[in-house]
Amino acid sequence: MPHHGADARVAIWYPPGAGGTPTLYADNPVFQGVEATLDADVAPGDFPVVLFSHGMGGTDRAQAWLASELANRGAIVVLVNHPNSTWGDFDMTVGVRHWTRAEDLSTALDMLIDDPVLGGHIDRSRIMAAGFSYGGWTALSLGGMTGNLEGIVGVCTAQIETMEACDMLLSDDVSMQTQKPETWNASYADPRVTLAAAIDPGFVWGLDSSDTAALVPGPLLIGLGDGQTRMSATNFVESGLVALLNGAHIVQLAPAFHFSAMPLCKPDAPAILEAEADDPVCTDPPGTDRVAVHSAIIEAIADTLGL
C-alpha cells in the first residue's frame, strides 16, 4: 500500500475448482472458524467482485463467514486488513484518515485485476464495495459518497456523551476536528465500483444531499438492532441518511446488535472476553439467533450481486 508506506494483509476468497488443501480458517478460543480450501483451482466462469472493509479494530477474519458463503455462491471476495485500524495494528491518530481505507480497496482491486489467474475471472459489470461499521463508511465512500467534516464533528460534539466512539474521535490524540476539510470531504470514488453494501455503517451523521449525490444507484444498507439495541453512531435512519437516498434497499435485522455481524462464538467466549475486559461482542440481545442474522446478511448481499 504505497499511500501507507506499508504492506497490508489481503485475503481473497473465490469459487473453488479442483484441488487445494482443506483447512479451518479464523478459528480461535473465542470465535468459530470457517471451512475453507487453500490454493484450489478457480472454478470456470466470470464472477462478481466484493471489496470488503472490516470495522474499526477488525480483521479480514471477522467476516470470513460472509466471504466464504459468497464465494461458494459464485463471487470473488477481497478482504483487506487496513493499516492503522486493524486488530493488532491500531493507531487511530492515523486511522481516522478515512480516505486511506478507500485507497486500500482500490489498490487491492488493481492487484486483483492484474493477477494472472484471478484477473481473468472478473465480471467488470458487478464490482461491489462492501463493509461493516467503519468499513461500511469505506464502502459508501468508494461507491461515491463524500464525507462532511463539519457535519460529523458537530453531531459528535453535541452527542459526545451518548454516541459511540465520539469521545475517542474528538480526543486530543485522534483530533478528528482538526483534519483538513478539503481532504476529508473529497471524493474517493472508484469508477470501477458499480454496487455498494454497508452493514451498520459509521460516519452516517451530519451529511447533506451533496454528499450522497454521486453514490452508485440502489445501495444496500443493513441495520442491526432496534430500540435500545440499535447503535446510535450507525443509525442510518435517525441520522437522516436514508432520507437523502433514492432507491436504497434497506434491511433492518432484530433482535440483534452491532456485533452480531462478528463470527459465531464458542461457548466459553463471553467469559473469556469478560476476563480480558474486552467488548462483549458475543453477548447478543435476548432472542437473537446469530446464525439467522448472518444468513439474512448473506442473502441480502447475494441478492444485490445477482448470485
Side-chain angles (χ1 to χ4, degrees):
M1 300 294 180
H3 48 284
H4 289 292
D7 291 339
R9 171 186 166 82
V10 177
I12 304 175
W13 296 74
Y14 55 87
T21 304
T23 188
L24 184 62
Y25 186 78
D27 189 71
N28 62 46
V30 171
F31 297 123
Q32 295 181 25
V34 177
E35 297 289 343
T37 303
L38 297 178
D39 301 321
D41 295 337
V42 185
D46 292 341
F47 309 108
V49 172
V50 179
L51 306 168
F52 196 90
S53 176
H54 62 71
M56 189 181 297
T59 72
D60 75 279
R61 295 171 176 84
Q63 276 75 50
W65 57 268
L66 174 60
S68 172
E69 187 59 32
L70 292 178
N72 284 333
R73 295 186 183 207
I76 298 172
V77 187
V78 181
L79 298 96
V80 177
N81 278 5
H82 298 289
N84 306 307
S85 59
T86 297
W87 188 86
D89 176 17
F90 191 80
D91 179 3
M92 278 307 288
T93 60
V94 183
V96 72
R97 300 170 187 168
H98 69 88
W99 54 92
T100 66
R101 291 171 134 251
E103 292 169 345
D104 292 344
L105 294 188
S106 289
T107 300
L109 180 57
D110 293 340
M111 175 195 69
L112 182 69
I113 289 172
D114 291 342
D115 187 86
V117 177
L118 291 169
H121 291 273
I122 297 172
D123 178 353
R124 300 286 188 96
S125 70
R126 291 183 291 168
I127 297 181
M128 171 187 280
F132 165 59
S133 194
Y134 192 16
W137 171 260
T138 305
L140 295 173
S141 175
L142 202 70
M145 191 175 290
T146 54
N148 189 317
L149 183 61
E150 181 180 7
I152 189 63
V153 168
V155 171
C156 251
T157 301
Q159 301 188 41
I160 192 169
E161 298 296 332
T162 57
M163 187 171 288
E164 302 85 359
C166 281
D167 54 347
M168 178 189 67
L169 292 169
L170 296 177
S171 67
D172 290 340
D173 287 338
V174 176
S175 194
M176 177 175 67
Q177 64 273 25
T178 61
Q179 300 294 315
K180 295 179 179 179
E182 62 270 23
T183 305
W184 186 280
N185 299 343
S187 174
Y188 299 99
D190 190 316
R192 298 169 294 185
V193 168
T194 61
L195 301 164
I199 306 166
D200 242 21
F203 289 166
V204 293
W205 291 79
L207 300 168
D208 60 37
S209 58
S210 65
D211 301 314
T212 62
L215 182 63
V216 294
L220 170 65
L221 300 180
I222 301 174
L224 298 172
D226 59 4
Q228 295 300 311
T229 67
R230 186 78 175 96
M231 184 178 281
S232 175
T234 64
N235 193 326
F236 46 69
V237 177
E238 289 191 3
S239 71
L241 173 59
V242 169
L244 298 174
L245 301 176
N246 292 319
H249 181 203
I250 309 301
V251 175
Q252 195 73 40
L253 301 176
F257 82 138
H258 186 65
F259 293 111
S260 298
M262 296 292 282
L264 301 181
C265 297
K266 294 183 176 180
D268 292 337
I272 292 172
L273 294 169
E274 183 178 4
E276 296 185 354
D278 208 334
D279 293 330
V281 299
C282 289
T283 307
D284 289 308
T288 301
D289 181 343
R290 192 172 284 203
V291 172
V293 171
H294 286 188
S295 294
I297 293 171
I298 292 164
E299 292 297 336
I301 294 178
D303 184 63
T304 302
L305 288 167
L307 298 178

